Amino acid sequence: MEYRKLGSIDLELSTIAYGAFAIGGTMWGGNEKKDSIESIKASIDNGVTSIDTAPFYGFGLSEEMIGEAIKDYDRTKIQLLTKFGLVWDGSNQGKGEFFFNSEKAGKSLPIYKYASKENVIKEVEESLMRLQTDYIDLLQIHWPDSTTPISETMEAFEILLKQGKIRAAGVSNYNISQVIEASKNVNISSNQIGYSMLNRGIENDLIPYALENNLGIIVYSPMERGLLAGNYFKKGKLKDDDHRNEYFQQFDMSKVKTFLDAITPLALDKGATLSQLVLRWTSLQPAITIVLAGARNANQAIANAKAIDIDLNTEEIRFINTELLKI
């Protein structure tokens, strides 16, 4: 495994990090608890020391399973990354910015973006309990909240840093102006943002900014929620409650399939799967510090970790990039 420093702070993360959205079950059609916990342990056993989660993932379930899974490991050698700012339990008392309607136990549940100082501190205490730890390595705001001044949210970060309850502050889904505003108050270590072979918009602005200002970039959905793994084109059927049925409609699926067919021989030549090739390509892009990869079981987790072992030379990366231009 490779390990990289995040921004300008003394916090080193595994280049491939465990993304814990899917194991929470929310919007992903569910997952077996035993398989989820084994996937976390398998990741750690194979060098993936960084685990990214959020209270919203399974409405606390993801954090709880992580807390259970890491009990037998040296906590100082594991980096826990979590978030705040998506509220579903009504504790915001009507405040914040409505985001979307989710579902819990068969009932519609409104989700709000809410990042007031009081709520941030409250959510961190709840996360610490679920994760069974006394500190969080990297705390991130999940989504910008237009109803709360960024300076107020950053004030909460300052308090938590002084208390030692978090080691570093990060943002997620922020644009450059929001990152600049947040950085006036707190040393922002990273921005977690969506990026993949099919979603490269940040290369136009955020990537150059990150390179110039030593901002860590943590990317989610590098596999485009499994599409780039290629299995969808073999099976083509997801559970009815899987959000990807709608999500995949944004892509020209015939062009995506043609692209995957084109790079499959390269993956085979490397003794790798498509997923591993895609993860490694992503990790080698400019300014990309950490790549999040989800896993529903131990085998998937081990495969994700081993993606870092793939050696891609300049010519091979150029070949992939040329094929991408055809999508």
Side-chain angles (χ1 to χ4, degrees):
M1 181 55 62
E2 292 178 0
Y3 301 90
R4 298 175 179 174
K5 288 188 66 174
L6 197 63
S8 61
I9 63 165
D10 189 24
L11 180 60
E12 211 171 46
L13 306 182
S14 54
T15 301
I16 302 295
Y18 184 96
F21 190 0
I23 65 167
T26 312
M27 302 167 61
W28 288 84
N31 199 50
E32 292 294 330
K33 180 179 179 180
K34 179 175 179 292
D35 290 341
S36 296
I37 291 177
E38 287 181 352
S39 72
I40 298 167
K41 291 182 175 181
S43 293
I44 298 171
D45 292 341
N46 284 272
V48 175
T49 60
S50 308
I51 305 171
D52 180 85
T53 184
F56 172 68
Y57 301 164
F59 305 109
L61 179 60
S62 177
E63 288 186 326
E64 289 173 359
M65 287 192 290
I66 290 167
E68 183 175 340
I70 67 172
K71 285 190 296 186
D72 297 328
Y73 293 89
D74 182 347
R75 173 66 179 88
T76 64
K77 295 182 179 180
I78 295 172
Q79 302 84 48
L80 294 180
L81 290 58
T82 194
K83 310 177 188 76
F84 65 84
L86 290 189
V87 180
W88 68 87
D89 58 4
S91 61
N92 58 320
Q93 298 178 328
K95 300 176 183 178
E97 175 187 350
F98 175 75
F99 195 11
F100 64 96
N101 282 310
S102 187
E103 188 176 290
K104 183 180 182 182
K107 296 182 179 179
S108 179
L109 198 63
I111 309 298
Y112 285 82
K113 300 175 186 176
Y114 187 49
S116 72
K117 179 173 69 173
E118 180 182 13
N119 182 66
V120 176
I121 293 172
K122 170 183 174 294
E123 284 201 56
V124 166
E125 293 298 335
E126 293 170 346
S127 289
L128 288 171
M129 286 190 290
R130 287 191 288 256
L131 292 166
Q132 300 183 47
T133 188
D134 56 1
Y135 70 95
I136 293 162
D137 294 275
L138 177 68
L139 180 68
Q140 308 154 95
I141 179 170
H142 208 148
W143 286 88
D145 167 23
S146 64
T147 68
T148 302
I150 289 177
S151 59
E152 179 182 336
T153 304
M154 295 305 112
E155 188 178 343
F157 272 123
E158 290 180 284
I159 293 170
L160 293 164
L161 284 164
K162 289 178 181 177
Q163 292 176 339
K165 293 182 178 179
I166 66 173
R167 292 180 63 193
V171 297
S172 184
N173 300 299
Y174 262 38
N175 59 37
I176 293 176
S177 64
Q178 291 165 331
V179 172
I180 292 172
E181 181 66 26
S183 299
K184 292 178 181 178
N185 301 83
V186 176
N187 180 14
I188 298 300
S189 306
S190 59
N191 188 6
Q192 183 175 144
I193 200 93
Y195 176 77
S196 76
M197 289 175 162
L198 305 179
N199 174 25
R200 301 173 67 181
I202 63 171
E203 293 179 359
N204 299 322
D205 49 20
L206 184 60
I207 293 297
Y209 175 86
L211 289 169
E212 186 175 343
N213 294 276
N214 198 19
L215 176 72
I217 298 291
I218 300 173
V219 297
Y220 64 80
S221 294
M223 300 302 306
E224 280 302 350
R225 311 188 190 191
L227 180 60
L228 291 172
N231 292 332
Y232 176 83
F233 297 103
K234 298 175 183 177
K235 300 176 182 178
K237 179 65 176 176
L238 300 168
K239 293 182 179 179
D240 291 341
D241 62 345
D242 196 312
H243 75 287
R244 292 174 292 178
N245 287 304
E246 180 179 355
Y247 182 80
F248 287 166
Q249 292 179 18
Q250 68 182 292
F251 302 114
D252 185 326
M253 300 298 268
S254 63
K255 288 185 177 181
V256 173
K257 183 178 185 303
T258 299
F259 165 71
L260 294 178
D261 288 343
I263 66 170
T264 293
L266 176 58
L268 293 174
D269 183 59
K270 299 290 182 180
T273 64
L274 270 175
S275 297
Q276 290 173 320
L277 182 65
V278 171
L279 288 175
R280 187 52 171 155
W281 175 92
T282 307
S283 75
L284 293 171
Q285 299 312 295
I288 303 303
T289 316
I290 306 300
V291 180
L292 300 182
R296 290 175 175 268
N297 55 56
N299 288 337
Q300 290 178 2
I302 294 169
N304 289 342
K306 292 187 179 302
I308 208 69
D309 297 329
I310 298 173
D311 179 35
L312 286 178
N313 61 39
T314 302
E315 183 178 342
E316 290 163 340
I317 293 174
R318 187 182 299 117
F319 163 72
I320 293 172
N321 292 343
T322 299
E323 293 300 317
L324 278 173
L325 292 175
K326 301 175 184 179
I327 297 180

